[in-house]
Amino acid sequence: QVQLVESGGGLVQPGGSRRLSCVASGGTFSNYLMGWYRRAPGKEREFVAAINWSSMGRFYADSVKGRFTISRDNTKNTVYLQMNMLKPEDTAVYYCAADDIMTPAVLYDYWGQGTQVTVSS
């Protein structure tokens, strides 16, 4: 029974920065590949970034590469998404997800409730 809670969303000006956090409870955090997804109104959910247990494997969507940085602190059961140089097209609900490496048949086993990020002047 893993729970994920995102925070840090809000209104940001274009070109500004924002850091999202996701705290996990239950399970074993170090077993999880952690990811961030986002969904804008009327659009499909899209992958943003992912990070493995050691933080040595990081993956980014082309749309955010060079602007966003994913990181994790296993001692705090927390994954972060640092968002810089934000654009209006980054406006979306951002979701934290956890992929348990013990369930290889399932891509992401757990999802958070989402946090709204709005980029507007």
Side-chain angles (χ1 to χ4, degrees):
Q1 195 171 358
V2 175
Q3 295 183 11
L4 306 174
V5 180
E6 304 96 331
S7 63
L11 178 63
V12 192
Q13 290 186 320
S17 298
R18 197 83 176 184
R19 190 180 77 161
L20 307 182
S21 299
C22 173
V23 180
S25 61
T28 304
F29 187 70
S30 59
N31 283 348
Y32 304 147
L33 173 73
M34 301 298 299
W36 287 95
Y37 284 75
R38 66 186 183 186
R39 186 169 188 166
K43 298 182 65 177
E44 299 290 330
R45 181 190 66 186
E46 66 175 345
F47 170 78
V48 176
I51 186 169
N52 74 348
W53 73 272
S54 68
S55 297
M56 297 303 296
R58 307 187 192 195
F59 312 90
Y60 298 94
D62 288 341
S63 60
V64 306
K65 191 174 299 182
R67 300 188 298 120
F68 290 11
T69 302
I70 189 171
S71 61
R72 68 191 292 165
D73 186 342
N74 291 337
T75 68
K76 299 180 179 179
N77 289 358
T78 302
V79 62
Y80 306 94
L81 184 68
Q82 178 66 47
M83 305 182 294
N84 299 325
M85 297 174 283
L86 284 162
K87 306 174 181 179
E89 51 262 44
D90 294 318
T91 296
V93 177
Y94 284 72
Y95 297 92
C96 176
D99 176 19
D100 192 333
I101 62 174
M102 299 300 179
T103 59
V106 181
L107 182 56
Y108 283 101
D109 300 274
Y110 312 105
W111 294 84
Q113 83 289 346
T115 184
Q116 175 72 46
V117 175
T118 302
V119 184
S120 175
S121 60

